[in-house]
Each structure stands twice: as structure tokens, then as C-alpha cells.
Amino acid sequence: MSRVYNFSAGPAVLPEEVLREAADEMLDYRGSGMSVMEMSHRSKTYDRIIKEAEQDLRDLMNIPDNYKVLFLQGGASQQFAMIPMNLMKNRKAGYIVTGQWAKKAYQEAQIYGEAIKLASSEDKTFSYIPDCSDLDIPEDVDYVYICENNTIYGTKYKELPNTKGHTLVADVSSCFLSEPVDVSRYGVIYGGVQKNIGPAGVVIVIIREDLITEDTLPGTPTMLKYKIHADNDSLYNTPPAYGIYICGKVFQWLKKMGGLSVMKERNEEKAKILYDFLDQSKLFHGTVVPKDRSLMNVPFVTGNEELDAKFVKEATAAGFVNLKGHRTVGGMRASIYNAMPKEGVEKLVAFMKKFEEENA
Ligand SMILES: *Cc1c(COP(=O)(O)O)cnc(C)c1O
């Protein structure tokens, strides 16, 4: 067996320890005689798995009691519709467009009401986060929406926008559990888990209880109502059971590592190794305004498409895989999520140095 250094943006690297444990439990989960995959989601054994996963997530993020944690399906993209369907009481919401995922959410919201673009960084290919300290926000918007870490472009809000008292809704798919957050500043925090937490198929929604109401837009399908999932503790129908089990293992791993403050330090340390190299390199350079750089997704280019392709090819052969940038931006992108060891980043930088020398 040989494992590569996987820099994929998602689905992405998971802690090896978690994968080994899951492998050990594959055929017989703790004496049950079956895999978690084969188990009723209504069984006592599974109930413990999902309850423990929720509690561990609550502990890690310090989630206040007046927030519900929902384990749903449909990916982050389904939330682009579910959020307006459940929260757009005035049929008006503000969107800050900092990348493709924010733009898709903004476009989807237009199906349901008036989505107002409060700010955008599209003028410079989403390479920065706009100043959101004093936005012009209409009084009657139901919420202000952000994508907190822009997976494709590699930017991250270092400060949350001033929503002027309006509910903040954040897509945190690619920075979920990468650092501590103050949950009470948000109305909704959600993300697909396949970036920084677990296998594709699970989306976690952390939502303040007063936002969960019967009062959804007409025609909202039952499955797309937060209330039905909240009232049934994410077991209204069959949840993505195996995926939740793996997420639970990752939560335990994060707790063992020391929690989110420790993860933040580790992530800062890893990102610094890569950014410091990019800042002095004569061949490679980062594409993002330094103050808005993401700790999770690091895009970079050589400035020469052929050389980019050569780099990706040689890196792959050397065991550094999935470094090709998103198809819409080109170049390279190294996603260095929680589960990417520091050693992986150090070795990548050493490889980049060597490539630079050989291609000077
Ligand atoms: C990947 C990603 C999405 C889309 O996730 P799906 O689960 O594929 O729908 C949305 N937002 C962000 C920030 C992402 O990184």
C-alpha cells in the first residue's frame, strides 16, 4: 500500500487514523456483527453514533444550546435553495459575491425572491474579499449571505461582515473546523463535509432555533424544511448514515488533537510554509491579495500555462496529486485541510524548489 499526498479541494484527504479505524470496524462494528453501512438508522447502536457525533461537534465548536445541528444530504448546493425557502420571509436577502459558490447561491436565491448583491470581488477574478465594514444593506433583508472561505480562489474573510443587525448565513464548506468560530455571530453556518470533515454525502447545518419555523415559502418540499429535520433529530428519513459515522470519527480525532485552537495553529503553520515560499519564489506566485489568503486553499501559478501543466504532471508522478487548479481559473491549487500533515506541505515546497531550479 502506498498513500500519496492528496491536495484535492474535495473530496479530500482524511486522517489516516480515521480510515484505519473505519477499516477495522468495517465487517463488525463493535460486536454488532455488521458494518455501520448495513445497520438500521433506527437501531440503538446507530442512535449512539449520531448522538455522539453531534455532541462532539457541539463540544468542538462550542455550539450554544439555542442552535440545532442538522445532518442532511444534497450537498452544500442544495442549501443554496433551502436557505431562501426557509428564511426569505420578506423575499429579500443580501449576498456578498466572492467566488463561484457565492455566485451560485446568489443566482439560486433569485428564483425565490429579490437577491441583492451587496458587494462583489468579481472585478479582479475574486482575488480579494471586499470591504464589508459599512455595506449599504436594505432594512428589510431577511439575511446576509457569505461564502466564508472561497475554495476555488483561495480567499477567506478574516473579519465577518458588518450585517447591521441582520442574520448572517455562512457557507463554511472549505473552512469547517479549521479554526475556532463564535457560533453566536451567525444565524446559519453550513457546509458540505467532503472538504474538511468527511466523505461526500453529508451536509451539516448549524442553525439558530428561532430561524426554524413552519413559515417557509409556498411549495417548499417537506424534505427541504429545516423544521422537519430539526423536529426529528436528523432522522426524519434515512440520513447519510455511514458518512455521519465517519464525521463522528473525525470529530473525535480533532478532540484528540487538542481541538480547534490547536488546529488553527497547525493550519497557520502549514499555510505559512507554502506562502513564505511563494512570496520569495522567482517562478511561482500566489494569486490572492496577501491579507485575504485562505489557510485551506492555496492557488498559485507560474505565469506560463505550459510550465503549469509540466509542474502538475511531474508533481503527480512524484506523489503530490490533485494540484491542478480549478477548471475555471487554471494554474495550481494546493488544498491543505486539517488532515494534510505538515510534512506533506514541507515536501511539496521542497519539490517546488527543485522544479524552480530545473526550470530557471
Ligand atoms: C464544494 C463547495 C460547494 C459545493 O458543494 P457540493 O456539496 O458539491 O454541493 C459549495 N460551497 C463551497 C464553499 C464549496 O467549497
Side-chain angles (χ1 to χ4, degrees):
M1 184 197 73
S2 101
R3 304 250 313 152
V4 293
Y5 288 111
N6 179 7
F7 294 93
S8 170
V13 58
L14 287 169
E16 200 169 305
E17 216 178 298
V18 166
L19 298 177
R20 286 185 189 283
E21 222 180 88
D24 282 345
E25 293 174 347
M26 181 59 78
L27 295 181
D28 177 8
Y29 176 75
R30 301 188 186 175
S32 66
M34 63 179 90
S35 163
V36 173
M37 245 182 266
E38 304 169 295
M39 199 173 275
S40 164
H41 60 294
R42 309 269 175 217
S43 65
K44 271 215 174 74
T45 309
Y46 191 74
D47 199 58
R48 264 231 339 251
I49 292 173
I50 191 169
K51 292 264 159 54
E52 275 180 18
E54 176 177 343
Q55 191 54 53
D56 287 336
L57 180 64
R58 285 185 174 276
D59 296 344
L60 280 168
M61 291 181 75
N62 218 345
I63 300 175
D65 288 343
N66 63 326
Y67 284 75
K68 287 272 190 213
V69 172
L70 309 176
F71 296 101
L72 307 177
Q73 310 196 44
S77 300
Q78 183 160 281
Q79 295 305 309
F80 299 168
M82 219 165 149
I83 286 158
M85 282 176 153
N86 284 269
L87 304 186
M88 249 191 191
K89 317 283 180 198
N90 295 324
R91 299 232 184 199
K92 199 185 271 193
Y95 280 74
I96 302 172
V97 180
T98 52
Q100 271 208 38
W101 297 118
K103 194 173 176 179
K104 282 191 172 165
Y106 164 67
Q107 286 166 342
E108 187 76 6
Q110 288 167 14
I111 299 173
Y112 304 100
E114 189 184 345
I116 299 157
K117 198 189 281 178
L118 299 174
S120 166
S121 51
E122 195 162 10
D123 60 334
K124 290 181 182 157
T125 349
F126 300 118
S127 57
Y128 69 102
I129 298 290
D131 178 3
C132 298
S133 58
D134 186 21
L135 298 169
D136 190 9
I137 307 174
E139 261 314 302
D140 57 345
V141 295
D142 294 298
Y143 58 85
V144 172
Y145 181 101
I146 61 168
C147 177
E148 196 162 330
N149 184 80
N150 296 282
T151 325
I152 296 172
Y153 301 94
T155 59
K156 159 103 204 293
Y157 285 80
K158 299 297 158 78
E159 244 171 81
L160 292 177
N162 174 4
T163 64
K164 303 187 171 168
H166 296 287
T167 298
L168 179 64
V169 174
D171 174 357
V172 299
S173 295
S174 48
C175 59
F176 225 153
L177 303 179
S178 63
E179 59 183 299
V181 289
D182 179 357
V183 175
S184 70
R185 296 188 64 189
Y186 304 77
V188 180
I189 302 179
Y190 81 90
V193 304
Q194 74 273 24
K195 308 289 160 70
N196 203 22
I197 302 181
V202 183
V203 56
I204 296 175
V205 177
I206 301 163
I207 177 169
R208 213 176 55 225
E209 276 171 359
D210 61 282
L211 298 170
I212 305 171
T213 66
E214 302 272 12
D215 179 25
T216 54
L217 296 186
T220 300
T222 306
M223 273 295 288
L224 299 189
K225 292 178 178 175
Y226 288 129
K227 190 163 179 8
I228 200 87
H229 295 290
D231 287 350
N232 290 281
D233 296 323
S234 303
L235 293 167
Y236 168 69
N237 71 325
T238 319
Y242 192 81
I244 294 168
Y245 152 78
I246 298 292
C247 291
K249 288 204 178 299
V250 173
F251 301 154
Q252 296 242 316
W253 176 78
L254 288 167
K255 277 179 134 177
K256 217 162 48 182
M257 297 291 286
L260 301 191
S261 325
V262 172
M263 291 321 290
K264 182 179 189 206
E265 277 169 35
R266 280 170 48 105
N267 289 329
E268 281 173 347
E269 199 186 342
K270 284 186 299 180
K272 188 173 185 315
I273 294 168
L274 193 43
Y275 285 125
D276 281 355
F277 170 72
L278 290 172
D279 286 345
Q280 60 75 55
S281 170
K282 293 203 167 53
L283 180 65
F284 297 102
H285 60 271
T287 55
V288 167
V289 170
K291 73 174 180 49
D292 299 325
R293 284 169 166 175
S294 165
L295 294 181
M296 298 281 100
N297 311 99
V298 183
F300 55 94
V301 294
T302 63
N304 173 331
E305 273 179 38
E306 271 171 42
L307 213 48
D308 285 352
K310 182 170 184 238
F311 174 77
V312 170
K313 193 167 164 226
E314 291 182 14
T316 306
F320 306 100
V321 311
N322 290 320
L323 281 164
K324 196 171 185 301
H326 190 270
R327 59 198 148 80
T328 58
V329 278
M332 281 75 70
R333 171 180 49 174
S335 294
I336 49 176
Y337 297 119
N338 283 342
M340 173 58 66
K342 182 175 152 191
E343 181 197 76
V345 181
E346 286 169 341
K347 287 189 174 166
L348 172 65
V349 166
F351 180 82
M352 289 167 77
K353 273 186 188 147
K354 187 167 136 277
F355 185 88
E356 180 169 339
E357 282 159 20
E358 289 167 1
N359 293 274

